[in-house]
Amino acid sequence: MAEVLVYVDHVDGAVRKPTLELLTLARRIGEPVAVALGSGAEATAPALAEHGAVKVLTHDAAEYADYLVVPKVDALQAAYEVVSAGGSLAAVLVPSSAEGKEIAARLAVRIGSGIITDATDLEAGDEGPVATQSAFAASFTTKSRVAKGTPVITVKPNSAAVEAAPAAGAVEALAVSFSEKATGTKVTARTPRESTGRPELTEAAIVVSGGRGVNGAENFSIIEALADSLGAAVGASRAAVDAGWYPHTNQVGQTGKSVSPQLYIASGISGAIQHRAGMQTSKTIVAINKDAEAPIFDLVDYGVVGDLFEVVPQLTEEIKTRKG
Amino acid sequence: MSLRIVVTVKYVPDATGDRHFADDLTVDRDDVDGLLSELDEYAVEQALQIADDADDAEITVLTVGPEDAKDALRKALSMGADKAIHVEDDDLHGTDAIGTSLVLAKAIEKAGYDLVISGMASTDGTAGIVPALLAERLGVPQVTLLSEVSVEDGVVKGRRDGDSASEQLEASLPAVVSVTDQSGEARYPSFKGIMAAKKKPVESWDLEDLEIEADEVGLEGAWTKVDSATERPARTAGTIVKDEGEGGKQLAEFLAGQKFI
Ligand SMILES: Cc1cc2nc3c(=O)[nH]c(=O)nc-3n(C[C@H](O)[C@H](O)[C@H](O)COP(=O)(O)OP(=O)(O)OC[C@H]3O[C@@H](n4cnc5c(N)ncnc54)[C@H](O)[C@@H]3O)c2cc1C
Ligand SMILES: Cc1cc2nc3c(=O)[nH]c(=O)nc-3n(C[C@H](O)[C@H](O)[C@H](O)COP(=O)(O)OP(=O)(O)OC[C@H]3O[C@@H](n4cnc5c(N)ncnc54)[C@H](O)[C@@H]3O)c2cc1C
């Protein structure tokens, strides 16, 4: 059976959910071989094995943290060479984070392959894997494939339900020699983001977002309280972010995060095309807006025309009561 | 020594228009007005600020696109860029990201550069990979997705705000930079700028000028193939209620019905 190289996104050995989704998708087209780099790489093996990785190639070096992107490209290329030399390699899959896309793109040039970014689904096809993408703020769905080389495909979070499928997951050390270019861009300082204790925005099953209608940083506590009652992540429109009410890392939309949760609740958000680009693929969409003409209502499964300062706290209370 | 800055700018269909695909599954450019990708305005802005801080700098804006893509160049020139290069060739129709980066890289090398500045993503393809592809092809450092950027003594520095951390980056020139929409509001062209832009030089290059074979680009030469594009079915009209004091409770009822509570 053909192998599929899966790039592992992890934090000190803790595998992030989008990677487990990738393993699930990878099994549709072949046998997943995972590549885990950096501090804690070997610790990823049990989780990867549980989700179908037949092999886990690992390598750690200071370069991964000290320099931008290129060391990881060098390593993924090394893995590509090892695996493709051993037989048939069906595809290289990488999570669609900002960094993941850059790693995948550079690898594609090096190995002479095409690249598909932001796939939302993946199937086996007669001429190689077929990827689903959503285009033009999710108003179109396309099916594409790579026509030259080994398909390099980046996949968005929440594109598949994680399925366990125990496999050997044998750890093997990957030999990597860094290219001359690996140390070109130095990371001179790093400030880790403080954890809020809430789920990661792109991975969350429920996202509760606030916009300009929230009218002030202090009022975001209303949005947070609703999010916490549902175990949800908090999002914001660019208007709210630009006003300094909420961090940019929580922005949903074209230039923020694109989310695809089971449930998206928008409060005080009008539904501009750039915001829609980041949330339109949510399974169920709910909006609270005092303007009955707001374009967001065109998207909703359920909408409440009303003042968010009345509706949201009442909703939060009701949820708490129902959850006991 | 003059600092040579090349800004890559893309001509895209207006996102507020009715964007769709043509019969050959490329972007239909006839039915929707095109414009300079809004995210590339941030790249032009940062180029202008870097040039202001340098003793001597020259900004060239570069696009790969059809005839009308000149509009994007004009807009960038009217913001204050010095000159423009338009890579235009019928054989470019349908080029994908790998192909686009090949053409851009050849054009950048031919133009001569110390610094390439790109937007974080186009507003149509939105892949956000062209800057990394350019760095790979040009063999220079990538300093991408910056919300803050400066150049001093041949070194580019910037801040990259990632998911898990905010990083300070540094690289020697030549380098490829991309900037986000957090890097600072782009200026509006002044009337003077618009008038001046009409006199600024726009060079036109084709594939032959760049020594690229037609079969390396275009729909036929593309590394990727789109098999189908279907319009997302319009959402079936949802339930909309007016809050008359019970809106929150009604919504909770809906969420419970959908098993979210
Ligand atoms: C290149 C580019 C990229 C962009 N990227 C993004 C992006 O990634 N994400 C993004 O969100 N935007 C993005 N934008 C901005 C986008 O165009 C809109 O300006 C933005 O989404 C508007 O945010 P908003 O809906 O919160 O504000 P508004 O459009 O001002 O809407 C506020 C809404 O709140 C309602 N409201 C007010 N008070 C109340 C109340 N008390 N109760 C209930 N409702 C109330 C109003 O009726 C209104 O509908 C981008 C724009 C550009 C040009
Ligand atoms: C909906 C859609 C999906 C697509 N998916 C894919 C895909 O999966 N794989 C693929 O290979 N191609 C894809 N393409 C084609 C791809 O978008 C174009 O080839 C494009 O020119 C490069 O990618 P991008 O627009 O996504 O650029 P990005 O990588 O998002 O653009 C980043 C920056 O690169 C510069 N830039 C990009 N294009 C040009 C240009 N023509 N001239 C000057 N500067 C430019 C700009 O500075 C821009 O801000 C897709 C196109 C569309 C419309």
Side-chain angles (χ1 to χ4, degrees):
Chain A
M1 198 182 194
E3 285 161 310
V4 181
L5 214 48
V6 174
Y7 181 86
V8 176
D9 190 1
H10 70 99
V11 182
D12 291 324
V15 179
R16 292 184 52 184
K17 189 164 147 262
T19 300
L20 303 179
E21 295 166 10
L22 274 195
L23 290 170
T24 303
L25 291 173
R27 293 202 309 272
R28 296 184 188 166
I29 50 179
E31 283 188 330
V33 174
V35 183
L37 306 173
S39 152
E42 283 185 29
T44 61
L48 299 171
E50 195 187 321
H51 292 90
V54 295
K55 214 184 277 175
V56 182
L57 305 174
T58 64
H59 187 249
D60 187 17
E63 277 83 351
Y64 298 122
D66 294 349
Y67 300 92
L68 194 71
V69 175
V70 187
K72 293 171 181 163
V73 183
D74 288 344
L76 190 56
Q77 185 182 10
Y80 164 83
E81 274 155 16
V82 170
V83 177
S84 59
S88 56
L89 178 56
V92 181
L93 306 184
V94 183
S96 252
S97 60
E99 186 186 45
K101 288 200 279 191
E102 294 186 332
I103 294 169
R106 298 188 69 137
L107 176 77
V109 169
R110 289 190 186 182
I111 66 176
S113 292
I115 174 168
I116 289 175
T117 56
D118 294 321
T120 57
D121 200 4
L122 204 60
E123 297 146 326
D126 294 341
E127 295 163 283
V130 177
T132 305
Q133 284 173 292
S134 82
F136 302 145
S139 55
F140 278 82
T141 302
T142 61
K143 301 260 187 206
S144 347
R145 59 195 159 77
V146 167
K148 294 185 195 173
T150 303
V152 177
I153 301 171
T154 77
V155 181
K156 280 211 211 186
N158 278 334
S159 293
V162 174
E163 288 162 19
V171 176
E172 259 177 48
L174 179 68
V176 180
S177 52
F178 291 118
S179 67
E180 219 179 283
K181 305 290 177 209
T183 53
T185 308
K186 195 168 172 39
V187 180
T188 54
R190 176 177 287 118
T191 319
R193 220 162 281 297
E194 272 174 49
S195 164
T196 59
R198 297 194 178 90
E200 165 67 32
L201 188 54
T202 53
E203 299 169 17
I206 303 179
V207 175
V208 176
S209 287
R212 201 193 307 269
V214 174
N215 200 23
E218 60 291 353
N219 299 337
F220 255 86
S221 58
I222 299 175
I223 303 296
E224 290 180 333
L226 173 57
D228 292 343
S229 74
L230 290 163
V234 177
S237 73
R238 176 159 153 189
V241 167
D242 282 355
W245 303 339
Y246 224 67
H248 176 63
T249 38
N250 295 68
Q251 182 177 314
V252 171
Q254 185 186 44
T255 55
K257 300 276 163 58
S258 102
V259 300
S260 198
Q262 295 299 318
L263 171 64
Y264 187 82
I265 304 181
S267 302
I269 293 177
S270 61
I273 183 82
Q274 296 88 353
H275 187 79
R276 283 175 11 212
M279 48 67 74
Q280 194 145 258
T281 54
S282 305
K283 309 291 173 299
T284 299
I285 298 175
V286 167
I288 300 149
N289 195 306
K290 66 180 183 188
D291 175 10
E293 304 294 315
I296 191 89
F297 285 126
D298 297 342
L299 301 181
V300 299
D301 296 286
Y302 198 91
V304 180
V305 179
D307 187 336
L308 72 91
F309 293 101
E310 308 282 336
V311 179
V312 174
Q314 189 182 68
L315 171 62
T316 309
E317 275 318 304
E318 186 66 21
I319 292 169
K320 284 190 190 154
T321 311
R322 282 172 186 253
K323 282 192 168 174
Chain B
M1 251 296 277
S2 166
L3 178 70
R4 296 164 303 167
I5 306 174
V6 177
V7 186
T8 58
V9 299
K10 191 178 183 188
Y11 178 73
V12 298
D14 188 345
T16 60
D18 180 21
R19 295 179 295 177
H20 53 267
F21 292 90
D23 290 342
D24 66 356
L25 301 178
T26 62
V27 177
D28 186 315
R29 294 169 176 274
D30 294 334
D31 290 358
V32 182
D33 287 340
L35 42 72
L36 168 63
S37 174
E38 279 161 308
L39 295 170
D40 291 343
E41 291 181 15
Y42 294 89
V44 175
E45 177 62 36
Q46 290 309 312
L48 292 167
Q49 292 190 19
I50 288 167
D52 272 348
D53 292 341
D55 293 338
D56 179 19
E58 183 183 55
I59 303 172
T60 304
V61 288
L62 164 67
T63 198
V64 174
E67 167 78 38
D68 294 347
K70 283 200 175 60
D71 289 356
L73 295 174
R74 285 284 169 220
K75 171 89 188 267
L77 289 173
S78 64
M79 287 173 73
D82 300 300
K83 58 187 183 107
I85 298 169
H86 184 189
V87 183
E88 189 189 0
D89 198 307
D90 288 345
D91 289 328
L92 281 167
H93 175 80
T95 305
D96 64 0
I98 296 280
T100 300
S101 70
L102 172 72
V103 180
L104 286 171
K106 293 259 190 176
I108 289 164
E109 273 169 340
K110 184 173 158 83
Y113 71 103
D114 302 298
L115 181 62
V116 176
I117 308 184
S118 301
M120 64 183 287
S122 70
T123 60
D124 61 347
T126 67
I129 57 175
V130 166
L133 290 169
L134 289 178
E136 179 66 37
R137 289 193 184 275
L138 296 168
V140 302
Q142 73 166 78
V143 198
T144 46
L145 297 171
L146 303 182
S147 50
E148 247 173 46
V149 57
S150 64
V151 175
E152 214 175 314
D153 299 329
V155 174
V156 50
K157 294 186 185 178
R159 193 181 85 229
R160 172 167 164 128
D161 293 321
D163 282 351
S164 56
S166 175
E167 294 168 330
Q168 295 291 336
L169 305 177
E170 193 176 302
S172 299
L173 298 184
V176 174
V177 158
S178 76
V179 298
T180 73
D181 58 337
Q182 299 291 300
S183 60
E185 241 359 89
R187 69 194 64 185
Y188 286 106
S190 62
F191 179 69
K192 221 175 106 202
I194 294 168
M195 295 315 286
K198 297 194 165 138
K199 299 198 191 82
K200 291 178 180 172
V202 178
E203 261 187 82
S204 263
W205 292 347
D206 61 13
L207 288 176
E208 207 180 318
D209 293 319
L210 298 176
E211 293 171 23
I212 296 173
E213 300 295 328
D215 62 6
E216 291 179 83
V217 293
L219 210 46
E220 291 304 312
W223 280 256
T224 50
K225 175 142 187 12
V226 183
D227 287 329
S228 70
T230 32
E231 192 154 9
R232 215 181 151 77
R235 280 191 169 254
T236 42
T239 310
I240 297 184
V241 299
K242 194 167 168 353
D243 178 37
E244 274 154 359
E246 298 285 297
K249 288 188 180 155
Q250 286 168 286
L251 181 45
E253 186 60 37
F254 169 77
L255 294 179
Q258 302 285 312
K259 307 259 186 292
F260 288 115
I261 307 175

